Amino acid sequence: QRREWLHVEDHCTAIDLALRDGRAGEAYNISGQERENLDVVRRILDLTGASADLVRHVEDRPGHDRRYAIDSSKLRELGWTPTHSFDAGGLEETVEWYRENREWWEPIKSGEYRAYYAEQYAARLRG
């Protein structure tokens, strides 16, 4: 399977540009750099020093999309261009951010966030 990968800062600048310079009511797609999912996984394993034994292949869900392709030409006409290259440090920078911000993701991995969501949204779920 293939997906488009985009650095968060490029995503934010695209949204900002569409809000400031786009036409009201118009949809602006934001695209990234297309990569095979497994290639991205392998690169993350390399960057983190993790074992390839961590990779688990699962059966695709019914109707699974093998590829997404986004056309960001309208946004590019406004002058947007991604500035972070996936191959020239973008993924490395992202991995480093996660290393430096464990307090952001550890509660998610531990399941701690579930208690927060249960407390914040329980009334909505009972509706």
Side-chain angles (χ1 to χ4, degrees):
Q1 286 86 14
R2 299 180 68 85
R3 297 292 182 267
E4 293 203 11
W5 298 86
L6 183 68
H7 194 279
V8 64
E9 289 179 4
D10 288 330
H11 190 247
C12 291
T13 60
I15 292 171
D16 182 62
L17 181 63
L19 288 171
R20 284 185 296 106
D21 296 344
R23 289 190 316 259
E26 189 70 37
Y28 293 91
N29 294 321
I30 306 169
S31 64
Q33 299 167 18
E34 191 173 303
R35 298 284 182 276
E36 294 282 339
N37 290 353
L38 200 49
D39 290 341
V40 175
V41 168
R42 288 183 187 122
R43 184 72 183 119
I44 291 170
L45 292 172
D46 287 344
L47 291 169
T48 61
S51 170
D53 294 340
L54 293 173
V55 177
R56 301 283 183 264
H57 295 275
V58 297
E59 187 175 327
D60 289 340
R61 69 184 185 280
H64 176 76
D65 295 316
R66 295 194 180 279
R67 178 176 180 252
Y68 298 126
I70 307 296
D71 178 6
S72 62
S73 59
K74 286 194 292 184
L75 192 58
R76 290 175 187 270
E77 288 170 8
L78 295 178
W80 178 78
T81 303
T83 60
H84 294 81
S85 169
F86 190 90
D87 295 322
L91 185 58
E92 289 89 341
E93 185 179 307
T94 301
V95 167
E96 188 59 31
W97 185 92
Y98 278 92
R99 280 191 178 121
E100 294 174 359
N101 293 278
R102 297 179 71 88
E103 73 282 354
W104 184 85
W105 61 265
E106 282 181 338
I108 297 168
K109 188 173 180 186
S110 74
E112 181 182 322
Y113 73 95
R114 288 186 184 110
Y116 170 83
Y117 280 104
E119 181 181 325
Q120 299 298 318
Y121 299 105
R124 291 184 190 179
L125 295 174
R126 288 191 295 268

